[in-house]
Amino acid sequence: MFLTISTTGTPERPATDLGYLLHKHPDKAQTFSTAHGTAHVFYPEATAERCTAALLLEVDPVALVRRGKGKGKGRGGAPDAALAQYVNDRPYAASSLLSVAMTTVFKSALNGACRALPERAGEALPLRIEVPALPARGGAELVHRLFAPLGWTHVEAVAVPLDERFPEWGDSRYVRLVLEGELRLADALRQLYVLLPVLDDAKHYWVAPDEVDKLLRAGEGWLARHPEQRLITSRYLSRRGGLTRQAMERLELVRLAESDDLEVESVDNAVDETTDTEEKPVPLAERRRDAILEALRAAGASRVLDLGCGQGQLLQALLKDVRFTEIVGVDVSMRALTVAARRLKLDRMGEQQAGRITLRQGALTYTDKRLKGYDAAVLSEVIEHLDLPRLPALEYAVFGSARPRTVLVTTPNVEYNVRWETLPAGHVRHGDHRFEWTREEFRDWAGQVAGRHGYAVEFVPVGPDDPEVGPPTQMAVFTMTTAPGTTKEEKAA
Ligand code: SAH
């Protein structure tokens, strides 16, 4: 198994700085004992202009088998696996074992730490990485899909023929991989650490719950937004459904937390929308809260979930009305929850008041048993923050699993956008809105949701109801018609 990392430099910024960044001296060949064999690090070239570090892993197949057996499950069960233990490509192919070796040999570099040259560790370098024999299930095409979104300017994956003397035998499942681009060394190493085993897709026998932590750590800064995130996560975790789900959920938290900056205030909260009366204009956000409070009172709700509560404006209004005896705010954004806690003065609240309210971090696209059994749930300006393909997951979590008696959903009416003077044509109201719906689109969606989960739905305009384009905000009021425990899903549960 063989991997080289090259960089170029100038007399002022010599390429041999790579040695500092990797914490391996260019003049020395070094040997390390790793879990599966011996790793060698050496530099085939080391000048100010060009420097190449090579990592060679000699795998000890016997040690591999012993370790595999020691773990009990995994390899070794099926009879043909016994032979496969000895006759396999592990010693020759770059794979998960190389990843493991990287953590031993390039530990500090993976963490982006470099005491000698801390600045260079944080800078992008011209890098060239080559792996001559990379097992790649999914072939060159998948290699491109995995590396191209990560900032490499050149991704080359050429299938290695099974046997050069017999071209008619076709290609092996190996590719020669070359990556070129300007990246931070730590980022490049972390990508390889994750993607080499993902491409290999062989069974890892070390998959343990802390692999999710490792994956997230190594994926920091790139995995949460990678278009092939699901494939990467699932393969990395050896297709273990539970772990994959856990990792995907945490990646979603990361992604949402990253877009936190955009969440702070919606355009329509910032711009004071005037009403058609002469009086002081009422911001649309306030009108929305009033409409929600009214609908909650009409439904006779006292135990209420505010899902995607943001910075807690609605929670504050709910607290002021004693009929709401139990109020739970859920949001994925820790920052929003911190602001909400401050707004509500949670730390200075009397015991009785504090007993009425709970703030909780969570992703609404995952079911949560603690959300079951409430009178009502509010999703105020939340659904449009989800990618459309994630909407069914939220639908199931709220209407299928939590199943409050009443659900209020508000969302912008895109038809109304032409009435916003400050909004350029064709733009959504907020940078993080993934979609905005017409009245018909919203009715369509809400009608289907209601039908699927045993709810009736009515629509309430919020804000001035323009004769042509309708109101700025549309609200759906869902009321459960089927008693809990009688839907198909619940019977199955
Ligand atoms: N309900 C508030 C905030 C709306 S902004 C209001 O009406 O003003 C949307 C909020 O939904 C943000 O705080 C965002 O962090 C949260 N959010 C978006 N997607 C989420 C998800 N999948 N799970 C939980 N919260 C989410």
Side-chain angles (χ1 to χ4, degrees):
M1 287 193 223
F2 193 58
L3 163 89
T4 59
I5 305 167
S6 310
T7 188
T8 51
T10 58
E12 298 78 51
R13 297 161 62 80
T16 44
D17 282 354
L18 185 63
Y20 289 108
L21 298 175
L22 290 172
H23 297 247
K24 298 288 170 283
H25 199 290
D27 292 343
K28 282 196 280 188
Q30 297 183 53
T31 297
F32 304 83
S33 163
T34 78
H36 310 290
T38 309
H40 305 274
V41 179
F42 55 96
Y43 289 75
E45 57 184 338
T47 66
E49 295 78 48
R50 254 192 91 76
C51 182
T52 297
L55 171 63
L56 172 74
L57 180 64
E58 272 182 289
V59 172
D60 174 355
V62 177
L64 199 60
V65 172
R66 285 213 195 97
R67 283 185 64 85
K69 272 194 180 148
K71 295 262 160 121
K73 276 186 253 164
R75 283 161 193 260
D80 60 337
L83 183 61
Q85 285 169 356
Y86 292 94
V87 187
N88 63 36
D89 65 356
R90 298 300 89 187
Y92 316 108
S95 73
S96 47
L97 303 183
L98 192 55
S99 268
V100 176
M102 281 170 66
T103 59
T104 311
V105 178
F106 296 140
K107 189 163 193 272
S108 311
L110 270 161
N111 291 331
C114 180
R115 216 173 296 152
L117 296 172
E119 277 140 57
R120 292 215 73 181
E123 286 168 13
L125 307 178
L127 288 176
R128 181 178 198 279
I129 290 184
E130 185 170 346
V131 187
L134 173 69
R137 184 167 310 207
E141 191 256 335
L142 182 60
V143 175
H144 277 276
R145 265 163 45 211
L146 294 183
F147 284 100
L150 294 175
W152 299 98
T153 46
H154 178 76
V155 177
E156 188 183 313
V158 181
V160 176
L162 212 45
D163 189 322
E164 265 157 22
R165 294 163 303 174
F166 303 102
E168 66 277 14
W169 288 6
D171 291 332
S172 67
R173 69 179 197 96
Y174 298 90
V175 299
R176 174 173 158 269
L177 171 71
V178 178
L179 301 170
E180 283 172 9
E182 297 233 346
L183 272 85
R184 288 189 336 155
L185 180 64
D187 291 338
L189 291 175
R190 283 195 211 132
Q191 294 170 9
L192 292 170
Y193 170 80
V194 173
L195 296 179
L196 296 185
V198 161
L199 281 163
D200 187 3
D201 200 26
K203 276 215 182 66
H204 317 306
Y205 27 86
W206 72 79
V207 170
D210 74 332
E211 280 304 315
V212 174
D213 292 324
K214 285 189 199 158
L215 173 65
L216 282 148
R217 237 177 291 134
E220 208 183 300
W222 62 272
L223 184 55
R225 295 189 178 274
H226 197 295
E228 296 295 340
Q229 181 194 116
R230 181 171 288 278
L231 177 142
I232 294 169
T233 304
S234 158
R235 279 197 183 186
Y236 184 89
L237 297 168
S238 296
R239 298 197 170 78
R240 299 229 183 145
L243 292 181
T244 303
R245 185 187 132 113
Q246 199 185 320
M248 292 294 290
E249 180 168 354
R250 283 174 57 185
L251 283 168
E252 179 141 340
L253 292 176
V254 170
R255 203 163 47 244
L256 289 157
E258 279 172 359
S259 61
D260 230 21
D261 288 341
L262 298 168
E263 305 280 357
V264 177
E265 284 281 277
S266 295
V267 166
D268 55 355
N269 289 358
V271 177
D272 276 8
E273 159 62 8
T274 52
T275 65
D276 36 16
T277 67
E278 301 272 279
E279 288 158 44
K280 192 168 160 279
V282 180
L284 181 58
E286 207 173 310
R287 293 181 144 227
R288 199 158 42 223
R289 278 195 294 283
D290 289 344
I292 291 168
L293 288 169
E294 203 182 303
L296 288 174
R297 287 176 192 134
S302 54
R303 303 176 62 239
V304 178
L305 301 168
D306 183 4
L307 305 176
C309 61
Q311 305 186 359
Q313 290 93 335
L314 178 65
L315 297 173
Q316 192 174 32
L318 289 166
L319 268 176
K320 284 189 186 140
D321 186 338
V322 291
R323 84 178 70 205
F324 300 115
T325 54
E326 200 181 326
I327 304 159
V328 180
V330 181
D331 205 287
V332 74
S333 158
M334 211 47 221
R335 182 138 42 142
L337 290 172
T338 308
V339 176
R342 223 178 295 140
R343 177 190 305 278
L344 302 170
K345 305 195 176 66
L346 270 190
D347 52 340
R348 275 169 281 160
M349 220 175 234
E351 219 171 282
Q352 205 177 356
Q353 194 74 330
R356 289 171 61 206
I357 181 136
T358 313
L359 296 184
R360 196 176 285 158
Q361 191 187 21
L364 300 172
T365 40
Y366 292 87
T367 56
D368 183 343
K369 288 201 184 78
R370 296 171 304 177
L371 302 183
K372 284 182 196 270
Y374 281 81
D375 298 334
V378 179
L379 285 155
S380 164
E381 307 296 283
V382 173
I383 58 170
E384 64 276 10
H385 289 265
L386 267 76
D387 289 324
L388 267 178
R390 303 292 294 142
L391 204 52
L394 173 136
E395 174 191 330
Y396 180 70
V398 175
F399 294 90
S401 167
R403 288 189 73 67
R405 240 180 30 234
T406 302
V407 183
L408 307 180
V409 179
T410 78
T411 195
N413 163 22
V414 72
E415 296 167 78
Y416 193 87
N417 287 2
V418 295
R419 297 282 185 268
W420 294 106
E421 278 164 21
T422 49
L423 202 66
H427 279 238
V428 293
R429 297 183 199 178
H430 187 278
D432 195 50
H433 285 182
R434 307 303 160 90
F435 61 88
E436 285 179 353
W437 275 336
T438 61
R439 283 167 292 176
E440 197 187 324
E441 285 169 322
F442 184 49
R443 274 163 192 273
D444 234 43
W445 172 80
Q448 287 180 33
V449 170
R452 278 194 284 267
H453 300 282
Y455 283 77
V457 62
E458 280 173 57
F459 299 89
V460 179
V462 181
D465 198 353
D466 188 285
E468 230 175 286
V469 296
T473 296
Q474 34 188 352
M475 176 160 84
V477 180
F478 295 85
T479 310
M480 195 192 289
T481 51
T482 326
T486 53
T487 64
K488 245 194 280 162
E489 286 123 10
E490 284 174 338
K491 278 196 183 132

